[in-house]
Amino acid sequence: VRELKDDKQRILWIHDLAGDPEVQHLKEPENWKKFEKVVFVSHWQQFCFEVFLALPPDRGVVIQNAIHPLPEHKKPKGDKINVCYFSTPHRGLSVLLEAWEYMQNELKLGLNAELNIYSSFQIYDRPHMDEQFRHIYKKATEMEGVHYHGTVTNDVIRTMLEQQHIMAYPSIYQETSCITAIEAMSAGCLCVVPNLGALPETCANFAW
C-alpha cells in the first residue's frame, strides 16, 4: 500500500492489531490521507488505532466479519460431551491442554468429555512455524480423551462443528475479530472464551 501510484480512490481493509509492524505507517497523516477510508473488522480494533496510532475516527469504518451460517442440525445426545479447538496453536492451545489435564487429573471432571483439536500453521502455509509447537502437538496426541487432527479444510470444520457441544478457546492473543467463534456460535456450540481483545464484541454476550 505504500507504493500505490495511480489516482484511483483507495480503501485500506485491515485485520492487523494496532501494534503490528505492517500498520505503523498509519502514524503519519500523509500516509492515512492516501485512503478514502480505513475499514476495520471490529469497533475494538478501530478504537485501538485511534488510541495508539492517532488515526482520526472519521477516517475509519467498521464492517464486521461474517460467514455462511451453518445449517440447522441436532447435536448428538448421550453422556459424552464433545469439545473442540480449531485455531492456530499460538492462540492458547497450550493453556487449553494444561486446563484439560488439570480438570481430568486433579478435579476428576470431564471424564465423559472428548477434546478435538484442529490446529497447525499449515493453514497459513507456514509449516516452519510448527517447529516451536511440536511438543504441544506431541502432548495432545498422548493425552487421554484428546484427538489431534492437525489442519483440515473448512468444509471438514463445518461438518465437525455439527457434532460439537462446546468450543474451548482460552485465547492469549488479542483478536481483532474471531471467525472461529462466529462459526462455532452459528453451529450452536457453547463458546468459552476470555474477555480479551475483540472477543466480547465478536461473541456479542452469547459466549461464556
Side-chain angles (χ1 to χ4, degrees), residues 5 19 24 45 48 61 68 70-71 77 80 82 84 89 94 122-123 139 141 144 147-148 169 173 179 184 204:
K5 302 298 184 183
Q24 297 310 302
Q45 181 196 23
C48 290
V61 62
H68 290 290
L70 272 77
K77 295 182 179 180
K80 188 179 73 171
N82 296 327
C84 64
S94 61
Q122 293 283 350
I123 195 170
K139 180 173 183 175
T141 59
E144 184 178 355
H147 307 285
Y148 175 68
Y169 191 48
Y173 182 87
I179 292 178

Side-chain angles (χ1 to χ4, degrees), residues 4 6-12 33-37:
L4 295 174
D6 57 61
D7 294 328
K8 294 179 181 178
Q9 290 179 312
R10 303 182 191 119
I11 296 173
L12 182 59
K33 287 180 180 178
K34 295 177 182 178
F35 305 99
E36 296 295 317
K37 287 290 182 181

Side-chain angles (χ1 to χ4, degrees), residues 62-79:
V62 175
I63 302 178
Q64 292 171 314
N65 285 326
I67 65 165
H68 290 290
L70 272 77
E72 291 188 18
H73 58 276
K74 293 184 178 180
K75 297 295 183 185
K77 295 182 179 180
D79 294 333

Side-chain angles (χ1 to χ4, degrees), residues 89-114:
H90 69 296
R91 284 174 158 88
L93 180 55
S94 61
V95 176
L96 175 58
L97 292 179
E98 293 291 337
W100 193 266
E101 197 170 49
Y102 180 78
M103 180 181 71
Q104 292 196 324
N105 297 340
E106 301 297 328
L107 301 181
K108 305 301 180 184
L109 300 173
L111 297 178
N112 62 334
E114 287 188 359

